[in-house]
Amino acid sequence: MESRMFLLFVVILLMARINSSRSKAASLALSTSLEPLFIPFHSIFFLSTRIEINPSYSLCFFVMQVKHIRSKYGDYFGITVAGYPEAHPDVIGSDGFATLEDYHKDLAYLKQKVDAGADLIVTQLFYDTDIFLKFVNDCRLIGINCPIVPGIMPINNYKGFIRMAGFCKTKIPAEVTAALEPIKDNEEAVRAYGIHLGTEMCKKILAHGIKTLHLYTLNMEKSALAILMNLGLIEESKITRPLPWRPPTNVFRVKEDVRPIFWANRPKSYLTRTIGWDQYPHGRWGDSRNPSYGALSDYQFMRPRARGKKLLEEWAAPLKSVEDIYEKFKVYCLGKLKSSPWSELDGLQPETKIINEQLGKINLKGFLTINSQPAVNGEKSDSPSVGWGGPGGYVYQKAYLEFFCSKEKLNALVDKCKAFPLVTYMAVNRGGSWISNVALTDVNAVTWGVFPAKEIIQPTVVDPTSFSVWKDEAFEIWSRGWASLYTEGDPSRTLLEEVQSSYFLVSLVDNDYIHGDIFAVFADL
């Protein structure tokens, strides 16, 4: 009785949440897929198992949920429900199969959700296409006539694939296991096979009359895009970024369109450090002294196993002098390394390749770059290297460099900048000593775009207050991102810690985006 009463309370509470959320969804102009947006299925299942509610009660709840939304709001919401080609994981036995009885019970329950008002079924991931096609046929036989969209999850790395398949109790065909086993430790080969397998699965599904695909990306969209290109559904030249940085999927940040440039290569860290903001910049950056950035924590320095392994391979070589450090940065800027302690991204970004030779040269001089962008004057917004915002517009950028250097090199640079009145700089060391030719309140737009029937968009800025926050993270990476790859007492680790404690972090902007040459500042230094 207590379990039933608790579930009734949960149902009432969640229904209230759904009612109060209608206006929020409308104001955000969302096309709402109900189960993922309001009450994800896995959340309810987790709740029900933790409080030991009879599973049949939670099953009834989802039918109630669909009925409630449809009866109260009519067609205002589009409702998507989950389908399980191999049956729900709860009824799949230790042998990897559901009994025929449990499979048909699962189908019957799915029909209840559709009859209650669901518009669409998106399936659990699968790797045996024949199982999905049989599932679709079985649904049609019992009168489920709404669209059934296959959930395709590309294989990006072996351990993640095995973990997800095990969690979902997904059957792995023998031919897939045989193909992966000899390459399981080669991440690039696994990803290439995953793209091939996903492409072949989609081809077969489309050949059987299914017209819609749903690709699970898990924030790794490159494989999904490659599959779509292989299928001829998109052209690589037509893939555009809505902004210079990837907008988050968080609905509370849907209007955010301005960020400081400093976290360009660490977008996940930026999200975690701004998660507590009441509102996010839209249209202009404004006064950055108002919002408070979250403190640094272990989370900002966590990384996937594969990235940690790549850093160890590429960055843990013995370092005998600062010149060895210069060489490591140079090699990265030339595209010969795929990882960087200061980046969450894979390799160089397309626009960096425009200036990578110049970057390599200044790194050898001891100006160790961790962020940059070339000057752009009215490039078409669909440019594959610097474009963003979709076709029909023009984009602009001021040349930007961010780097570490010694106090001696900084002094020489500051002196050289006197001959370049349109170059602005900020420099700060780990202890907070500040050198700059801009005021602390000066916010400089370094990227902007002009589009038909829109106001000018300026999505990237250089902001002194944010820079002083970013510097703590940037300096911490010397120890937690790079030096930690070596054992305690290792001379290489000691050298990196010395650089961390003595160097300055510098932000340099050439405001002449038409005729300027930011690299001229480094000539003869």
Side-chain angles (χ1 to χ4, degrees):
M1 177 62 72
E2 289 181 3
S3 293
R4 293 189 184 190
M5 290 179 64
F6 187 84
L7 178 66
L8 179 60
F9 171 75
V10 171
V11 170
I12 292 171
L13 180 64
L14 294 180
M15 290 302 184
R17 181 182 175 188
I18 291 168
N19 290 339
S20 66
S21 296
R22 178 183 186 266
S23 59
K24 287 184 181 179
S27 66
L28 293 173
L30 294 176
S31 173
T32 305
S33 173
L34 181 66
E35 280 189 321
L37 177 62
F38 292 111
I39 314 296
F41 184 87
H42 61 81
S43 298
I44 296 299
F45 173 70
F46 179 65
L47 177 64
S48 66
T49 53
R50 282 194 65 186
I51 59 177
E52 299 180 352
I53 295 176
N54 185 317
S56 64
Y57 300 154
S58 60
L59 293 181
C60 292
F61 166 70
F62 285 109
V63 176
M64 291 170 57
Q65 185 187 27
V66 174
K67 283 183 177 178
H68 172 78
I69 297 298
R70 189 58 75 217
S71 64
K72 188 170 182 64
Y73 301 116
D75 293 332
Y76 185 86
F77 291 111
I79 304 177
T80 300
V81 295
Y84 299 89
E86 300 173 63
H88 191 279
D90 276 6
V91 300
I92 295 177
S94 57
D95 61 351
F97 297 95
T99 65
L100 192 60
E101 179 183 3
D102 283 334
Y103 174 74
H104 283 291
K105 281 183 179 179
D106 208 52
L107 285 179
Y109 172 61
L110 179 59
K111 188 173 189 304
Q112 289 181 48
K113 290 194 286 186
V114 173
D115 290 345
D119 301 297
L120 181 72
I121 297 168
V122 175
T123 77
Q124 175 75 287
L125 68 136
F126 58 89
Y127 293 100
D128 189 328
T129 309
D130 290 335
I131 288 178
F132 168 74
L133 295 173
K134 178 182 180 299
F135 170 74
V136 173
N137 186 61
D138 291 341
C139 286
R140 301 306 184 218
L141 289 175
I142 63 171
I144 297 177
N145 297 315
C146 69
I148 300 174
V149 179
I152 307 295
M153 183 173 289
I155 301 172
N156 283 294
N157 67 79
Y158 182 78
K159 289 183 178 179
F161 160 67
I162 293 297
R163 186 167 56 249
M164 184 62 74
F167 178 77
C168 298
K169 299 183 180 179
T170 303
K171 177 188 174 184
I172 303 175
E175 61 270 22
V176 174
T177 300
L180 286 172
E181 184 60 31
I183 61 171
K184 63 182 181 182
D185 295 323
N186 185 332
E187 187 172 346
E188 291 184 10
V190 170
R191 187 179 295 114
Y193 174 74
I195 292 170
H196 166 75
L197 176 64
T199 301
E200 295 305 308
M201 289 175 63
C202 291
K203 283 180 179 178
K204 186 172 181 178
I205 289 168
L206 293 170
H208 279 76
I210 304 295
K211 297 181 179 180
T212 307
L213 303 170
H214 177 84
L215 279 77
Y216 296 105
T217 64
L218 300 181
N219 290 325
M220 293 181 285
E221 76 284 355
K222 291 183 180 179
S223 291
L225 290 172
I227 290 170
L228 295 176
M229 285 188 281
N230 288 346
L231 295 171
L233 297 177
I234 59 173
E235 297 178 31
E236 186 172 9
S237 61
K238 299 282 180 70
I239 300 173
T240 58
R241 303 175 294 170
L243 292 165
W245 35 268
R246 184 171 64 183
T249 54
N250 185 332
V251 296
F252 298 107
R253 305 182 78 125
V254 70
K255 292 185 178 180
E256 179 186 16
D257 61 5
V258 188
R259 285 186 185 176
I261 197 171
F262 316 119
W263 283 270
N265 295 322
R266 290 176 59 82
K268 293 178 184 177
S269 175
Y270 181 78
L271 292 180
T272 62
R273 300 197 67 181
T274 58
I275 196 170
W277 290 5
D278 293 329
Q279 55 184 338
Y280 296 94
H282 175 61
R284 60 187 297 273
W285 180 246
D287 188 347
S288 63
R289 292 170 297 175
N290 292 331
S292 176
Y293 285 92
L296 278 176
S297 68
D298 290 342
Y299 186 84
Q300 276 82 38
F301 303 98
M302 293 172 63
R303 50 182 177 249
R305 286 193 188 94
R307 188 173 298 282
K309 182 179 178 182
K310 181 63 72 174
L311 283 170
L312 195 63
E313 291 173 356
E314 296 184 337
W315 289 79
L319 303 168
K320 297 180 180 179
S321 66
V322 289
E323 284 73 23
D324 290 339
I325 297 176
Y326 299 174
E327 178 68 21
K328 186 64 70 174
F329 274 86
K330 183 206 79 171
V331 171
Y332 174 72
C333 287
L334 294 180
K336 296 179 181 179
L337 301 179
K338 299 298 183 184
S339 64
S340 165
W342 283 269
S343 179
E344 299 168 349
L345 310 177
D346 294 325
L348 298 180
Q349 300 309 294
E351 68 176 3
T352 307
K353 296 176 182 178
I354 299 172
I355 55 174
N356 66 339
E357 293 288 342
Q358 295 100 311
L359 291 173
K361 291 176 181 178
I362 67 170
N363 275 280
L364 277 183
K365 292 183 174 185
F367 300 95
L368 309 177
T369 57
I370 60 172
N371 195 357
S372 63
Q373 69 177 30
V376 174
N377 180 26
E379 191 77 28
K380 288 187 176 181
S381 58
D382 56 3
S383 162
S385 56
V386 297
W388 54 272
Y394 291 88
V395 296
Y396 302 80
Q397 291 181 176
K398 296 176 183 177
Y400 176 76
L401 295 175
E402 185 179 325
F403 52 88
F404 294 98
C405 70
S406 67
K407 181 64 163 59
E408 294 72 26
K409 293 185 183 297
L410 175 61
N411 289 340
L413 182 73
V414 168
D415 189 58
K416 189 72 176 291
C417 282
K418 294 175 182 177
F420 295 84
L422 293 181
V423 171
T424 52
Y425 58 84
M426 302 180 292
V428 63
N429 66 7
R430 193 182 186 190
S433 295
W434 183 271
I435 300 172
S436 177
N437 63 353
V438 297
L440 288 176
T441 55
D442 290 346
V443 177
N444 190 352
V446 291
T447 309
W448 63 99
V450 180
F451 300 90
K454 289 184 180 180
E455 293 185 357
I456 292 176
I457 304 171
Q458 53 172 51
T460 311
V461 299
V462 167
D463 162 50
T465 303
S466 297
F467 184 62
S468 66
V469 173
W470 158 247
K471 67 93 177 172
D472 293 330
E473 185 170 336
F475 276 106
E476 193 70 12
I477 293 170
W478 279 100
S479 54
R480 300 181 69 169
W482 192 357
S484 62
L485 300 177
Y486 302 90
T487 58
E488 287 281 354
D490 189 296
S492 297
R493 183 169 184 153
T494 303
L495 178 62
L496 292 171
E497 290 170 348
E498 289 173 356
V499 168
Q500 178 190 41
S501 63
S502 62
Y503 274 38
F504 275 72
L505 177 66
V506 184
S507 167
L508 197 70
V509 179
D510 185 350
N511 293 280
D512 185 354
Y513 61 91
I514 299 175
H515 302 296
D517 178 7
I518 197 168
F519 293 100
V521 180
F522 299 89
D524 303 322
L525 288 182

